[in-house]
Every structure is written in structure tokens, then in C-alpha cells.
Amino acid sequence: MVYSYKDILAELRREGYKITPQRRAIIQIMEATESHMTPLEIYSRTNSSSGISLVTIYRTLDTLEKAGLICQFNTQSGHTSYLLRRPRSHHHHLVCSVCGLVVNIGECGLEEVEERVSKDTGFKIVSHTLDMSGVCPECQKNNRQTLGRDFC
Amino acid sequence: MVYSYKDILAELRREGYKITPQRRAIIQIMEATESHMTPLEIYSRTNSSSGISLVTIYRTLDTLEKAGLICQFNTQSGHTSYLLRRPRSHHHHLVCSVCGLVVNIGECGLEEVEERVSKDTGFKIVSHTLDMSGVCPECQKNNRQTLGRDFC
DNA sequence: GTGCTTGCAAATGCTTTGCACGGCC
DNA sequence: GGCCGTGCAAAGCATTTGCAAGCAC
């Protein structure tokens, strides 16, 4: 598991990828952000300073994913986000359906659910995604209406 | 909660939408399918016979969602699928990372997890999504390699 | 120097929109 | 008959690809 910026570069090198200013910048931006980011969000943070192309961001994210350093996350709105892998990074998202605030949920305690499902279906369970949706304290206080609906 | 084709039409009417051959066809296709479907999948099942436009499928799905009769589901690959609402339709998906087979998981037993998260974050939890990924029995038998990786 | 990376431009694929015709109620 | 729904074509948007120039090693 990768711990820091330096480790990430080392891992990239180890996998045979070259270290370029663009890749450095993208990794640093992702490291400075707790939450997952879309390619466009990364682009908007990099744009003014270093003039990195959006195409490069797509390709770099692809590279980082191949190297196992980030992982993909499809948001409710259908866009693709990416998140840097960190130690103990197994976590899940809780999204406010009113204002869009995203916070992380820690341990999910789904091990016994996985075991039951595995027994029922014969699948070997490798991983899972869990996302919750609700109304954050701020929006509750302001009595804002939720846009949310039940999931299937 | 809606139970059958006839109920769906009645509900559509009740909401002020008109019943057209295209809408009938799309609803019937979705009713005949257990799993969620993308607009294109629906289109491919309807194309030859009735000559329904893909645009109409997008608009009909939008209408059905507004009427609360279907709900959206963003797949791992980033595409949008839709699923008809059925009684006891709270369920989750288990996807084989090798062959793409999708099966449903029944009850998830996440109530106590939701409660804990709610206490920790102050959110009022409205709903959640849970999807698992693994290797199905068939692919295990054939010793096929998983493409899967851990999630974040 | 070699080969991977980048940036530009253009292509692609899914989804949405404008507009006129047609069909449901 | 009024108005919503449909189909066509075209636009919109995120993402991917081809290709020549540039840079890391």
C-alpha cells in the first residue's frame, strides 16, 4: 500500500512509467484532496498554473489506475471520479441529497453480509461498494427539502 | 407500490401522461427483464419490431422516472441503467468481474450500520446503494481470471 | 538516442434539444 | 381539436484516438 507522494512516484517508476511534471502535479493535487475528484475538477485546479492539457489528465488517471495507485468511483450523477489509494482506504461515501456534501464513512462492517451472500450465490466475493444518501445536519437545520428518492 | 403492467399504465395515466404504443412497448420490455437495463439495451430489444426511436426511449425513461415508476442505477462501467420498481424491490447487485453476470442480493441488513453512521455524522440517512463484486461459480469452475481490483 | 508522454485537433459515443408532424384523449 | 408525444437531425458534453513534437531516462 502506498503512503505518500514519494511512494507514489517510486511505485510509478517501479512499474516502468516515467515521472513527468504533469504527473507530479496531478498526483499532488489528488494528494491534497480528501475526496474523490473528476478529471475536470483536477483540470480546473491545475489549469492556470502549469497549463496541463485535459487529455493528459485523462491519460494520467488511466496510467495511475493501471499502476493500482488510484481507483475509479462512479458518482450518482453518472460522472467518473478518482480517488488516491491510501493506507486503510477502505471506506464509503455519504452524500447529502440536498447540498451535495460528501463525507466518508469509516468501517462498514459488511463482512458477515458478504459471507451470507457468498453462501447464497456461490460467488467468491472480492469487493463491494456502499454509498449512503441522506440529509446533512446543516440542511436539516435550514429545513431544506431533499431531492432524494429511494433507490432500487 | 406498483405491481404489474396494468398498474404501471394506470399510474402513468393518473399522473397525466398519455399511453402510447411506444411507452407500452418499453414498459413491457422492462417488465420482462429481471435486471436493470441501459437505454441502448432496451433499444436493441425493441428496434426490429416496432421501430421505436432511441430518443423516445431516453424520453420515456425520463418520464417513467418522474412518475416514480423506475429508478436509475449507475453501473461500474459508468453507464446508466434503469430498473422497474416492484414490490419489495429493495435489493442490491452482485456483479461477476470476469463475465459480467449480474444477480440480485436480497435483504442487506444494513439498518444497524445506517443507525451508527447517522449517529456519527448527524446525517438523516434516506437510502443507500450497495453493490458487490466477485467471481461467479461458472467462472470459478473454468478458472477464469478476475479483472477485478479492490475498491476504495 | 530511444521510446514513452504530451498537446492539439478531430473523432467517438452517449445523451439532450429544436422543431415540425402525428396520434392519444 | 388541442396538446402531448414522437422522430429526425443536429447540438452538447465527456472521453478517446491519431499524429507529430518534446522530454525523461
Side-chain angles (χ1 to χ4, degrees), chain B residues 5 19 21 30-31 35 39 41 46 73 79 87 95 112-113 149 151:
Chain B
Y5 176 66
I19 310 301
M30 295 190 76
E31 236 216 336
S35 180
E41 282 165 353
T46 201
F73 173 80
H79 287 192
V95 186
E112 69 277 7
V113 178
R149 51 188 122 65
F151 290 75

Side-chain angles (χ1 to χ4, degrees), chain A:
Chain A
M1 181 56 81
V2 171
Y3 287 86
S4 72
Y5 175 67
K6 282 200 160 180
D7 292 324
I8 294 170
L9 295 188
E11 182 65 18
L12 263 188
R13 245 187 290 262
R14 212 182 58 74
E15 295 267 335
Y17 296 107
K18 291 179 180 169
I19 310 301
T20 66
Q22 292 90 338
R23 288 179 178 170
R24 281 174 193 276
I26 291 169
I27 292 166
Q28 282 178 327
I29 288 167
M30 294 190 76
E31 234 215 336
T33 308
E34 277 294 303
S35 180
H36 49 89
M37 306 173 83
T38 64
L40 270 158
E41 281 165 354
I42 297 172
Y43 182 59
S44 69
R45 300 210 191 178
T46 202
N47 198 12
S48 48
S49 53
S50 40
I52 296 176
S53 159
L54 182 56
V55 181
T56 300
I57 293 178
Y58 277 105
R59 280 193 277 222
T60 299
L61 290 172
D62 209 53
T63 300
L64 291 173
E65 204 191 358
K66 275 198 193 107
L69 296 166
I70 60 173
C71 67
Q72 235 186 330
F73 172 81
N74 290 310
T75 62
Q76 208 60 31
S77 60
H79 287 191
T80 309
S81 292
Y82 293 87
L83 187 67
L84 211 56
R85 283 197 169 167
R86 294 171 203 268
R88 322 208 93 262
S89 73
H90 180 83
H91 67 272
H92 301 290
H93 300 98
L94 172 56
V95 186
C96 176
S97 57
V98 179
C99 68
L101 175 72
V102 180
V103 304
N104 291 329
I105 309 169
E107 293 302 311
C108 56
L110 279 182
E111 294 75 19
E112 69 278 8
V113 178
E114 283 197 354
E115 195 161 323
R116 205 203 65 219
V117 169
S118 180
K119 205 165 286 174
D120 289 354
T121 61
F123 271 60
K124 191 176 72 175
I125 310 289
V126 174
S127 58
H128 65 258
T129 56
L130 169 66
D131 296 292
M132 293 191 179
S133 171
V135 185
C136 73
E138 194 65 23
C139 288
Q140 284 180 58
K141 208 172 63 188
N142 298 336
N143 218 8
R144 295 207 206 103
Q145 294 255 326
T146 175
L147 311 165
R149 49 187 127 64
D150 292 339
F151 290 77
C152 283

Side-chain angles (χ1 to χ4, degrees), chain B residues 79-114:
Chain B
H79 287 192
T80 309
S81 292
Y82 294 88
L83 188 66
L84 212 54
R85 283 197 169 165
R86 295 173 204 267
R88 319 207 95 263
S89 72
H90 181 83
H91 67 270
H92 301 289
H93 300 98
L94 173 56
V95 186
C96 176
S97 58
V98 179
C99 68
L101 175 70
V102 179
V103 304
N104 291 329
I105 308 169
E107 292 302 311
C108 55
L110 279 182
E111 294 75 19
E112 69 277 7
V113 178
E114 284 198 354

